[in-house]
Amino acid sequence: MSAITVGGDLVHYEKLGRGRPVILIHGWIGSWRYWIPLMRQLQLKYAVYAVDLFGYGDSAKNPARYSISHQVRLLDSFMQQLAIKK
C-alpha cells in the first residue's frame, strides 16, 4: 500500500510499471481495485497510478472533503507530490 497525505488526510494509491505516467481515477462508486486488470496491461509501457479519492477505498473518510473541488485538489496535490508534470 502506498499513500500520501493531502491536507492532513491519507490518500491511498497503487503503482505498477515504469515509463510515462498514467493516472487512473475510479468513478463515483468504486476504488483503485477496479483498475487492476487494466493496470496489469498498461504496466508494460507506462507507470500506472490508481488513486482512491477521498471517501473511497483506503483513502481518508472525511465528509468535509467529498466535494468535486476537494477531489480535484487531491489529484493536483498527488501529481505535485509525486512530481508528475502532466
Side-chain angles (χ1 to χ4, degrees):
M1 178 174 138
S2 299
I4 61 169
T5 57
V6 174
D9 284 323
L10 183 81
V11 174
H12 168 258
Y13 70 96
E14 294 294 334
K15 178 189 178 216
L16 292 177
R18 301 176 107 182
R20 285 183 27 186
V22 173
I23 301 173
L24 303 174
I25 305 164
H26 60 81
W28 219 238
I29 297 177
S31 75
W32 77 274
R33 290 172 183 87
Y34 287 86
W35 295 115
I36 293 171
L38 182 60
M39 290 178 76
R40 288 184 178 148
Q41 291 180 10
L42 292 177
Q43 75 175 337
L44 302 174
K45 292 186 178 182
Y46 302 99
V48 186
Y49 299 86
V51 180
D52 280 334
L53 298 174
F54 286 130
Y56 298 91
D58 297 317
S59 287
K61 309 296 189 273
N62 180 350
R65 300 211 186 241
Y66 291 174
S67 70
I68 296 290
S69 62
H70 279 98
Q71 304 292 14
V72 169
R73 282 186 225 135
L74 175 157
L75 294 170
D76 184 51
S77 294
F78 177 82
M79 291 176 68
Q80 287 180 14
Q81 289 187 43
L82 275 74
I84 299 172
K85 296 185 186 210
K86 60 179 185 173

